[in-house]
Amino acid sequence: KNMAEAVTDETTGEKFIPASQRPDGTWRKARRVKQGYVPQEEVPVYESKGTQWMKSKPTLPPGFHPEPEEQFKQTSEEDKYAGMSKAAKKNAKRKEKKKQQHQADGAVDPITQGLQEVNISNQSQQGNMNNGQSQDSSADPSKKLKNLKKKIRQIEELEAKIDSGEIPKPDKTQLEKIKRKPEILNEIRQLEKESGL
């Protein structure tokens, strides 16, 4: 809000702020002010000694004098982000960094992409073989057996719910789970043979 400047009354010699109209149409009264009055907008913002000291400190390390080109680069970078909020600047810098990194890794991209595809296809094959269990040779067979028996129990519970009508329309994942029952039973038999149970 813009306050009118103090005006001196010629007859009395006192200073006052003349009446002014507010944005909603109402009027402010004229106010007397003392000698040396400074309007609120012109009062400087208070800075502690610590902030003043931090502002007076040089941004560069002692003894370092940048070349004029470096100074120009710094100012152009500041101009590029001028008028942006803190978060927007951060995002813009992040995008720029990602772009530079992408350009630097351009030759490696096809290779890494090929490796990722190979890994994904290997993982999907393992998933089909073990029904979601990781194929670790070091995995404890008793734990694996326990997990498989738990799956069978869940499948049997699901079948019972479907038969009783508790689940009138089983969804796709439930039907797939039921279809996997013979595979899981075979795997349990194999594990029991291997472990000698």
Side-chain angles (χ1 to χ4, degrees):
K1 74 188 186 186
N2 289 332
M3 298 284 283
E5 288 195 25
V7 179
T8 310
D9 187 2
E10 294 172 9
T11 55
T12 58
E14 292 179 336
K15 280 192 163 194
F16 70 96
I17 297 173
S20 60
Q21 193 170 15
R22 295 186 184 101
D24 66 353
T26 58
W27 283 89
R28 290 184 193 92
K29 292 181 183 176
R31 289 185 353 205
R32 279 191 314 182
V33 290
K34 294 181 181 176
Q35 196 68 30
Y37 168 78
V38 179
Q40 191 65 40
E41 296 85 35
E42 294 173 24
V43 175
V45 177
Y46 172 76
E47 287 182 343
S48 67
K49 288 184 181 179
T51 11
Q52 290 173 356
W53 178 73
M54 286 299 286
K55 283 186 179 178
S56 68
K57 268 179 50 178
T59 55
L60 301 171
F64 179 73
H65 302 288
E67 295 177 18
E69 292 174 12
E70 287 182 22
Q71 284 180 338
F72 177 74
K73 283 180 186 175
Q74 285 178 349
T75 54
S76 67
E77 197 173 300
E78 288 170 10
D79 291 341
K80 188 171 22 174
Y81 300 119
M84 291 178 142
S85 69
K86 196 174 184 181
K89 283 180 190 176
K90 192 176 180 182
N91 287 338
K93 285 180 183 178
R94 190 180 297 144
K95 279 183 185 176
E96 205 171 285
K97 193 174 182 181
K98 214 177 215 181
K99 201 174 192 181
Q100 289 173 354
Q101 205 171 25
H102 189 67
Q103 289 172 354
D105 296 342
V108 184
D109 258 355
I111 298 166
T112 54
Q113 193 173 6
L115 280 172
Q116 286 174 346
E117 287 173 9
V118 169
N119 286 342
I120 290 168
S121 63
N122 284 346
Q123 286 173 356
S124 65
Q125 287 173 356
Q126 287 176 2
N128 289 341
M129 288 167 56
N130 290 330
N131 300 318
Q133 294 290 326
S134 60
Q135 193 175 24
D136 270 345
S137 56
S138 63
D140 189 15
S142 62
K143 280 187 182 179
K144 209 172 190 181
L145 196 61
K146 188 178 177 183
N147 285 338
L148 291 172
K149 285 182 179 178
K150 183 180 178 184
K151 281 187 179 181
I152 289 292
R153 217 176 317 127
Q154 289 173 344
I155 291 171
E156 287 170 352
E157 286 173 11
L158 187 63
E159 285 174 336
K161 284 181 182 178
I162 292 171
D163 291 340
S164 69
E166 202 173 317
I167 301 174
K169 292 182 181 178
D171 61 13
K172 188 179 175 184
T173 54
Q174 290 173 331
L175 292 172
E176 286 173 7
K177 197 172 192 179
I178 293 170
K179 284 179 186 176
R180 280 191 264 138
K181 185 178 180 179
E183 296 172 28
I184 296 172
L185 286 169
N186 285 336
E187 202 170 334
I188 288 173
R189 285 187 205 109
Q190 286 176 351
L191 277 171
E192 285 176 341
K193 283 178 187 175
E194 289 172 13
S195 60
L197 293 171

